[in-house]
Amino acid sequence: MTQTTDLRGIVPERESRNGSGRLSLAVILLGQFMGILDTSIVNVALPTMRTDLHATGAGLQLVVAGYIVSYAVLLITGARLGALAGHRRMFHLGLAGFTVASLACGLAPSTGALVAFRLLQGAAAALLTPQVMSMIQRDFSGAARARALSLYSAVIAGGVVVGQAAGGLLVSADLFGTGWRTVFLVNVPIGIALLLAGPRVLPRDERPSGAGGLRGRLDTPGLLTLAAAVLLFVVPLIMGHELGWPLWGWASLAASAAFLAAFVAVERRVAAAGGRPLIPARVLRAPLLVPACVAIVFGPGSWASFLFTTTLHLQGDLRMSPLESGLAFVPCVLAFALVGLNWQRLPARLHRPAVPAGFAVAAAGYLCVGPLAGGGAAYAALTVVIGFGLGVMPIIMTVALRHVAAEDAADASGLLLTLTQLAQVIGIATVGTLFLGLAEAGGSTRHAEYGTGWALAAATLVGALCALFLARGRTPSPARPQDGGAEVSSR
């Protein structure tokens, strides 16, 4: 029998600290919803954006990837700022920044300005969204916490569905002639309403305990070297095709590897000095975490690039309107959410094997993307199969965290979430560039779907092979209290 950390009987069950649990939960979940929404709502607006701003294919990739890059790189730092300065305070600060950045995105006069504002928007989201889970853990317990976490999972899954559909609806409505700009401007009234409600209903922060000292310090050198490594890697991948793969692009990729090595050295130095690095080495030694990190790169990467390229195809050769293309994704994403929210109903022995099986199903679906690219019911059914297969991705994180020591759970989950976001950037940069190049060479997006499908299938099969190590890996016997280990229950 495995041991799990159970707070019942230790912490009294409550709705929230100030008795307004439902209102406070609604505020923080709406904030989380805004952050998730903006990873997908922009996809449907891309073709309209290209026409209005005369954006290049690389420009469109940067509009999508810029948000995710800054969000991914700053996610762990945002969580630590909440622990140091107060989750409520950082939630409001991130929400204010996100609202202002959304307004700036909606008013952007050029592609370059839009990319810059998207970077700021992603940075604000990285400050905003980590506080949501922290406040749920802090302010709810027992059955109230279980309900809050269930709603949190529904918001994560629903944000993608609503983003695709709402993006199409807003662009097609063309309110006041704003076109694609409404996909960003819609955040402004929601953000203002939450900023007005938050101070009234969110519990106040307690004074941080042990806020001083090396353990509480931010890892600024690690953050800067990691950000440099990611940007130097992503930018040439996105810009290289349209610029003819110039020498600076190859130099940038080489510099990225150098900064990655520097990041490892910096992290070791921070740990040796008694500080708290972004990624503590002991976290990577947790059972199953490394194979989970490798496997998690391929699922989100193929999913994000599939949404990106399919949107361009639906509004390209298939001549769908933004609304039609947005609604076309709903069955696919619902299949993804159906698996993601219900996999726990499977017997425990099937949880880990479900990951490579799901990836294999998605890979088989990707192989049919080109042959079925003409549209119709068969193509729609195919997207459902892909969504169904990739719906196993939440299992990876849960299985990986199950044997992480309690004191390392936050860092381990932060690492997996960061890798998830970076995988999406890499997927859009690589597969997106392939799709745009094939579409330009063949004169049609349908032609590009063949090569894109093969690339997505190959990447997902590699993910399935990596997931086999996760499925067959040995797990330790339950940690005893004196060992300092604790299993994080997935219930």
Side-chain angles (χ1 to χ4, degrees), residues 79-156:
R80 291 196 182 166
L81 281 171
L84 290 170
H87 300 299
R88 179 179 186 261
R89 183 178 293 108
M90 290 300 103
F91 177 85
H92 286 140
L93 184 59
L95 180 60
F98 190 88
T99 304
V100 172
S102 297
L103 177 62
C105 287
L107 301 177
S110 64
T111 306
L114 179 57
V115 171
F117 294 141
R118 284 283 281 173
L119 287 167
L120 294 175
Q121 192 185 35
L127 186 59
L128 164 69
T129 58
Q131 317 314 327
V132 175
M133 177 63 78
S134 297
M135 286 192 283
I136 288 176
Q137 297 281 51
R138 182 193 70 181
D139 300 328
F140 298 86
S141 66
R145 180 184 291 176
R147 288 193 297 271
L149 290 174
S150 295
L151 290 171
Y152 177 83
S153 298
V155 164
I156 297 293

Side-chain angles (χ1 to χ4, degrees), residues 39 90 104 169 237 287 313 488:
T39 63
M90 290 300 103
L169 180 62
L237 286 181
H313 174 57
V488 180

Side-chain angles (χ1 to χ4, degrees), residues 394-434:
I395 304 178
I396 302 175
M397 182 173 292
T398 303
V399 169
L401 294 177
R402 190 168 287 164
H403 298 281
V404 172
E407 62 269 21
D408 293 329
D411 286 330
S413 59
L415 171 62
L416 292 174
L417 287 171
T418 298
L419 283 175
T420 299
Q421 300 300 322
L422 290 178
Q424 295 182 56
V425 174
I426 295 170
I428 292 169
T430 53
V431 180
T433 296
L434 173 66

Side-chain angles (χ1 to χ4, degrees), residues 49-99:
M49 227 177 266
R50 167 180 261 173
T51 301
D52 188 33
L53 296 177
H54 307 288
T56 62
L60 296 180
Q61 288 174 287
L62 286 172
V63 168
V64 177
Y67 177 88
I68 304 174
V69 165
S70 57
Y71 180 76
V73 171
L74 297 172
L75 190 62
I76 296 176
T77 299
R80 291 196 182 166
L81 281 171
L84 290 170
H87 300 299
R88 179 179 186 261
R89 183 178 293 108
M90 290 300 103
F91 177 85
H92 286 140
L93 184 59
L95 180 60
F98 190 88
T99 304

